[in-house]
Amino acid sequence: MTQPTANSESSDITFNHTTPSLNSFAPRLLDWFAENGRHDLPWQQHQTDTPNPYVVWLSEVMLQQTQVTTVLPYFARFMDTFPTVQDLAAADWDLVAEHWAGLGYYARARNLHKGAKQLVEIIDETRGFPQTLSGWEAISGVGPSTAGAIMAMGLHRYGVICDGNVKRVLTRWAAIDGDITKSATTKELWALAERLTPVDDSRLFAQAMMDMGATLCTRSKPACLLCPLKDDCLAHAEGRETDYPVKAKKQPKPSKFSDALLIESLDHDMLWLQRPDNGIWGGLWSLPLQFVEKVTGKITGKSQNTANDTPLDVRSNEKVYETEFTTAEQIINEWLTENKLVAESISSTLLDDDPIKHSLTHFHWYLTPRKLTVDAAQMNELSEKLAAAEITFKWLTEQKAQDSLGLPRAMEKLIER
DNA sequence: GTCCAGCGTA
DNA sequence: TACGCTGGAC
């Protein structure tokens, strides 16, 4: 999806409002923002005078997935450790991962790190940050929405944003009832956002729209009485604010089950593995996991027709083995199988049959912590097998792992047990 | 406890 | 179009 280019006369698109309504949208919004908007967010502070593309880029990438209050401490820590894009580009990945740990969607941290390197290269060549929409869209992790935000707020140039907040405001104001996950609706919303964005004030307009969506035009219980757009908001006129935006129904999530192995040395160090770059928790660190094949289904006799009643696909062990284990975990699995005593001791030293539940985008994950103590010889043997396969691993206490590794939330939950 | 938002990439 | 994570809303 490409953001439409500036064209205020897009004659092939019709809008649900009259020209006076369309034209007065921005002035009403900007008046409200001047009075009631947030102007003190840390990534806004330098913007009244000198544009700072780095802080806007960094904050926008964080805000792609996360609410303002959650982002604040992460942003502060990033700026503290990586005050410039050059600092970020020069940093080791593990340090970046540690700073991002807990925010989720770790591919974005990898793209951020990669993007920093790309930006430094561009800056070295051109003596400055990219100055165009397409220039920013070429940076890893920057799509049309983030690029528009950076153009407007990071460079003080013309830029249009159409993120989730904007889409909520606009679908309500214009009673747009198309599914916003469909490309036709996306196109319609971008066209409306562009029609409403004032060419010479797109920076404040973008900030105002995000503030509106975040504080007034919220998903549930919108504060319509305080809204500068209520007089011609088509959803409000019908009392149907919360019917927008329209989205396709979600698929029920399947469940997966894994054991999380706390393989502990006699010195109380545990084995930690760095996960592959792609897939879940890419580039972060995790306890070794062992996929457990289980038929899901309600054991209680209720006959509710929920997702849990649907059996998992019957797959061969070989298929499961390939898709559910990382290389490191396959090696560990083989090592455990070869050493039957060890394998037995896992099940016999069961710590807690109560799994932690961790829900991801497309499935629920039940992780059961299982403890296993290895002697020095076993520790060496396992380490050698992992090293031979060029697996990145560390033996660290829980405390040291928490302090020095990028751990996903699920690992924090597990070791708190 | 369960549901939901959020944007970019492969 | 499938997929990625978590906190907050309900």
Side-chain angles (χ1 to χ4, degrees), chain A residues 190-211:
Chain A
W190 271 103
L192 180 55
E194 188 198 321
R195 169 65 180 82
L196 296 173
T197 301
V199 173
D200 48 5
D201 221 355
S202 64
R203 175 175 72 94
L204 287 176
F205 185 83
Q207 291 182 350
M209 284 297 277
M210 295 193 300
D211 248 27

Side-chain angles (χ1 to χ4, degrees), chain A residues 62-332:
Chain A
M62 289 180 168
L63 290 163
Q64 281 172 8
Q65 59 185 87
T66 315
Q67 294 187 345
V68 168
T69 51
T70 307
V71 162
L72 286 171
Y74 282 89
F75 177 79
R77 209 161 153 246
F78 257 82
M79 287 304 293
D80 203 39
T81 309
F82 315 112
T84 69
V85 67
Q86 284 81 8
D87 296 315
L88 182 57
D92 283 342
W93 159 250
D94 280 341
L95 188 62
V96 178
E98 189 199 327
H99 279 67
W100 194 273
L103 265 185
Y105 287 132
Y106 300 101
R108 292 178 195 211
R110 295 197 304 279
N111 283 331
L112 191 76
H113 195 208
K114 187 176 171 187
K117 294 173 196 278
Q118 295 169 330
L119 284 169
V120 166
E121 197 164 320
I122 291 167
I123 290 166
D124 288 346
E125 284 171 10
T126 69
R127 302 203 152 278
F129 283 93
Q131 298 290 318
T132 63
L133 193 69
S134 59
W136 277 98
E137 284 192 73
I139 304 301
S140 292
V142 177
S145 204
T146 306
I150 295 169
M151 287 296 285
M153 300 187 293
L155 297 167
H156 299 196
R157 290 172 176 269
Y158 173 74
V160 178
I161 63 163
C162 193
D163 65 5
N165 281 327
V166 175
K167 285 175 181 166
R168 189 168 56 252
V169 173
L170 295 184
T171 51
R172 287 174 177 173
W173 184 69
I176 293 171
D177 48 21
D179 180 343
I180 64 164
T181 66
K182 299 286 185 219
S183 63
T185 314
T186 302
K187 195 177 167 190
E188 183 181 358
L189 285 164
W190 271 103
L192 180 55
E194 188 198 321
R195 169 65 180 82
L196 296 173
T197 301
V199 173
D200 48 5
D201 221 355
S202 64
R203 175 175 72 94
L204 287 176
F205 185 83
Q207 291 182 350
M209 284 297 277
M210 295 193 300
D211 248 27
M212 264 281 299
T215 64
L216 275 191
C217 199
T218 51
R219 185 168 63 89
S220 53
K221 300 181 186 171
C224 299
L225 292 180
L226 302 174
C227 179
L229 308 170
K230 68 172 180 298
D231 289 349
D232 56 353
C233 175
L234 299 179
H236 183 60
E238 297 188 12
R240 296 181 51 214
E241 297 89 349
T242 53
D243 288 351
Y244 300 93
V246 174
K247 238 180 233 187
K249 277 184 187 168
K250 289 194 173 174
Q251 303 259 338
K253 294 178 186 176
S255 295
K256 293 187 186 181
F257 303 83
S258 296
D259 290 338
L261 304 182
L262 296 94
I263 304 179
E264 198 173 14
S265 73
L266 299 175
D267 298 335
H268 305 291
D269 285 331
M270 291 192 311
L271 178 61
W272 296 91
L273 303 173
Q274 188 164 37
R275 297 188 61 85
D277 274 356
N278 48 5
I280 289 162
W281 303 332
L284 269 74
W285 291 76
S286 159
L287 294 167
L289 302 175
Q290 299 284 292
F291 179 77
V292 177
E293 205 173 359
K294 235 183 211 181
V295 177
T296 61
K298 283 230 170 104
I299 301 166
T300 56
K302 305 277 167 125
S303 61
Q304 279 179 304
N305 190 16
T306 68
N308 283 346
D309 290 323
T310 310
L312 283 179
D313 291 343
V314 177
R315 290 172 291 190
S316 70
N317 284 330
E318 199 174 333
K319 171 95 172 174
V320 168
Y321 195 74
E322 280 175 12
T323 57
E324 305 290 350
F325 286 78
T326 65
T327 308
E329 287 160 357
Q330 290 181 32
I331 291 169
I332 291 169

Side-chain angles (χ1 to χ4, degrees), chain A residues 9 31 61 143 166 197:
Chain A
E9 306 298 328
D31 283 350
V61 171
V166 175
T197 301

